[in-house]
Amino acid sequence: MMRAIKVRHLLVPLVTVLALAPPASRADTWPPGLPPVPAQHWTGTWEAAPSGTVPALPGASIRNVVHTSLGGTAVRVRISNRLGTGPLRVGSVTVALQRTGAPRSPDAVPGSMRTATFGGARAVRIPAGRDLVTDPVLLRVPAGANLLVTVHTPGDSGPATYHRSALQANFLARGADRAADERGGAYTGTVGNWYYVTGVDVLGASAAGSVVALGDSITDGSGSTFSANHRWPDRLAERLRRLPSHRRLGVLNAGVAGNRVLREGRGPSALTRLDADVLSRTGVRAMIVLEGINDIKGTPSVTDPRALEDAYRRIVARAHARGIRVIGATITPYGGHPAWTPDREAVRRAVNAFIRTGGLFDAVADFDAAVRDPDRPGRILPAYDPGDHLHFDDAGMRALADTVDLTDLTDLTP
């Protein structure tokens, strides 16, 4: 598979920002009674962008399963009430390693359960529209591991901020606070969403920073195997972990199924959520943008390619202002899908021509060229198509990840 590369900007010093955490979170201090924090840096290892709200689960302990891209000696967790309408009351938050070899188990590795605090307190109220970051939690976390991040909500705080399409089995225990349970016997319910948890950072990772994948359902993983972490950003993280430590990056998945660049809908638009889901994340050095297909095929649809081109310019300008380089990914084919029309295909091809040759992006990952059927370039290769002619199976996800030139992400030449 050919890669289209156009490098224009050099990386600038590491950006480590937690803009959405209010001062009360004490996100950069060490919990009372523990030795001082080592002289190491935080790096983002996992993300799930809020995609909407659902009714709260009062009295429930929600055990979210999240997959690390990098490891470290401590963690901190971002809890979100960004889309809520009133204060979110959190009774407790715990972090543990999921029992090895059990991707659909609520059981923790014995001895790994830790309680997270907020300014030293177990319980906290998070204002509507805000994220809060826990104090550091002393727990050695491997790269490529599953964490159990459990949130207990003792009452009904109104609409719950969540990520709808987790493609991951998560667990519910109702009644008493079971957040600190190592054995998962009380977790008799399962959900396919992530509740409240929108980010995890690790301390002391031997890494150059993090890369954020800003996208829609393709980045979110639609079409890939459930509870297997086969989304293309997961596959990209696997590739990055094989690099020398000074070139590794954490991979943060800011994909939201149904998301658009220009319009609100399934989650805030890419332009609206750029600060919260990309620019404020920890240690961000680069971002990969794969968005636009829902603008082209949605209702109402974008009929003028210049609308998306202008939006990409705004995204790149805002990222560059933070010292973040931007890789543009071409929009993949969807011929055979019910929403496909010749006019929309013409818009897709025009937008891709701009991404490849417009000189806007620091580099280009030509996803379109990597996955299209050479005999029918408006369609996905059958070997990558799960059947809906839009998304990708596990093989297709790997092909997308393999298209990214790691040099575009990890060249740290000053």
Side-chain angles (χ1 to χ4, degrees), residues 163 165-167 215-226 229-234 253 255-257 386 391-394 397:
H163 182 92
S165 183
L167 286 175
D216 46 44
S217 57
I218 293 171
T219 299
D220 212 4
S222 296
S224 64
T225 300
F226 189 80
N229 300 304
H230 286 171
R231 311 164 192 88
W232 74 259
D234 296 318
N253 189 333
V256 173
H391 299 106
F392 294 92
D393 60 16
D394 292 352
M397 291 290 179

Side-chain angles (χ1 to χ4, degrees), residues 183-351:
R183 298 293 298 272
Y187 289 84
T188 56
T190 59
V191 291
N193 328 108
W194 285 306
Y195 281 75
Y196 302 117
V197 179
T198 62
V200 178
D201 300 334
V202 290
L203 180 69
S206 296
S210 59
V211 55
V212 182
L214 178 67
D216 46 44
S217 57
I218 293 171
T219 299
D220 212 4
S222 296
S224 64
T225 300
F226 189 80
S227 286
N229 300 304
H230 286 171
R231 311 164 192 88
W232 74 259
D234 296 318
R235 297 300 201 182
L236 178 62
E238 292 173 3
R239 294 182 63 206
L240 286 163
R241 285 198 293 271
R242 295 195 289 267
L243 296 178
S245 60
H246 70 280
R247 294 184 61 204
R248 291 179 198 145
L249 293 167
V251 178
L252 306 181
N253 189 333
V256 173
N259 198 231
R260 298 187 184 193
V261 176
L262 296 167
R263 289 181 175 270
E264 311 295 298
R266 186 65 58 78
S269 71
L271 286 169
T272 299
R273 66 190 183 94
L274 185 64
D275 283 313
D277 291 341
V278 180
L279 305 184
S280 73
R281 297 291 167 158
T282 304
V284 179
R285 301 295 302 268
M287 64 183 292
I288 302 170
V289 180
L290 176 62
E291 284 232 41
I293 189 62
N294 291 319
D295 298 80
I296 294 170
K297 72 177 185 61
T299 303
S301 62
V302 169
T303 59
D304 185 349
R306 290 174 295 184
L308 282 172
E309 293 167 11
D310 289 343
Y312 294 148
R313 289 189 183 94
R314 293 163 64 187
I315 289 171
V316 170
R318 289 166 63 186
H320 283 172
R322 299 291 189 95
I324 298 169
R325 67 183 347 214
V326 186
I327 291 83
T330 50
I331 299 173
T332 52
Y334 72 111
H337 187 274
W340 186 93
T341 68
D343 288 343
R344 291 174 176 178
E345 175 67 2
V347 173
R348 184 186 74 88
R349 295 193 184 198
V351 170

Side-chain angles (χ1 to χ4, degrees), residues 68-87:
T68 63
S69 56
L70 291 174
T73 57
V75 300
R76 61 186 184 187
V77 178
R78 186 186 291 234
I79 306 296
S80 183
N81 189 27
R82 192 190 312 166
L83 304 179
T85 57

Side-chain angles (χ1 to χ4, degrees), residues 18-215:
L18 285 171
L20 295 181
S25 73
R26 299 197 346 173
D28 293 307
T29 62
W30 205 239
L34 290 180
V37 60
Q40 298 173 318
H41 63 266
W42 290 97
T43 305
T45 189
W46 176 87
E47 175 183 353
S51 64
T53 61
V54 287
L57 299 170
S61 299
I62 307 160
R63 183 151 284 182
N64 301 276
V65 180
V66 309
H67 190 67
T68 63
S69 56
L70 291 174
T73 57
V75 300
R76 61 186 184 187
V77 178
R78 186 186 291 234
I79 306 296
S80 183
N81 189 27
R82 192 190 312 166
L83 304 179
T85 57
L88 167 64
R89 183 184 171 199
V90 176
S92 61
V93 175
T94 61
V95 183
L97 297 173
Q98 187 180 37
R99 185 165 62 84
T100 305
R104 300 193 187 188
S105 170
D107 293 345
V109 172
S112 71
M113 184 65 68
R114 304 286 189 273
T115 297
T117 57
F118 301 84
R122 287 178 49 132
V124 70
R125 289 180 183 269
I126 303 175
R130 302 298 298 271
D131 289 0
L132 202 62
V133 180
T134 69
D135 299 325
V137 176
L138 194 59
L139 175 66
R140 186 171 293 277
V141 175
N146 281 354
L147 292 179
L148 305 176
V149 182
T150 308
V151 180
H152 176 68
T153 52
D156 188 346
S157 298
T161 297
Y162 86 138
H163 182 92
R164 183 180 69 92
S165 183
L167 286 175
Q168 171 66 54
N170 303 294
F171 306 96
L172 289 177
R174 297 183 182 272
D177 184 351
R178 310 307 295 260
D181 288 9
E182 283 191 346
R183 298 293 298 272
Y187 289 84
T188 56
T190 59
V191 291
N193 328 108
W194 285 306
Y195 281 75
Y196 302 117
V197 179
T198 62
V200 178
D201 300 334
V202 290
L203 180 69
S206 296
S210 59
V211 55
V212 182
L214 178 67

Side-chain angles (χ1 to χ4, degrees), residues 378-404:
R379 288 176 174 255
I380 299 167
L381 271 169
Y384 298 155
D385 188 347
D388 65 2
H389 311 304
L390 174 65
H391 299 106
F392 294 92
D393 60 16
D394 292 352
M397 291 290 179
R398 185 179 292 279
L400 294 176
D402 288 347
T403 304
V404 178

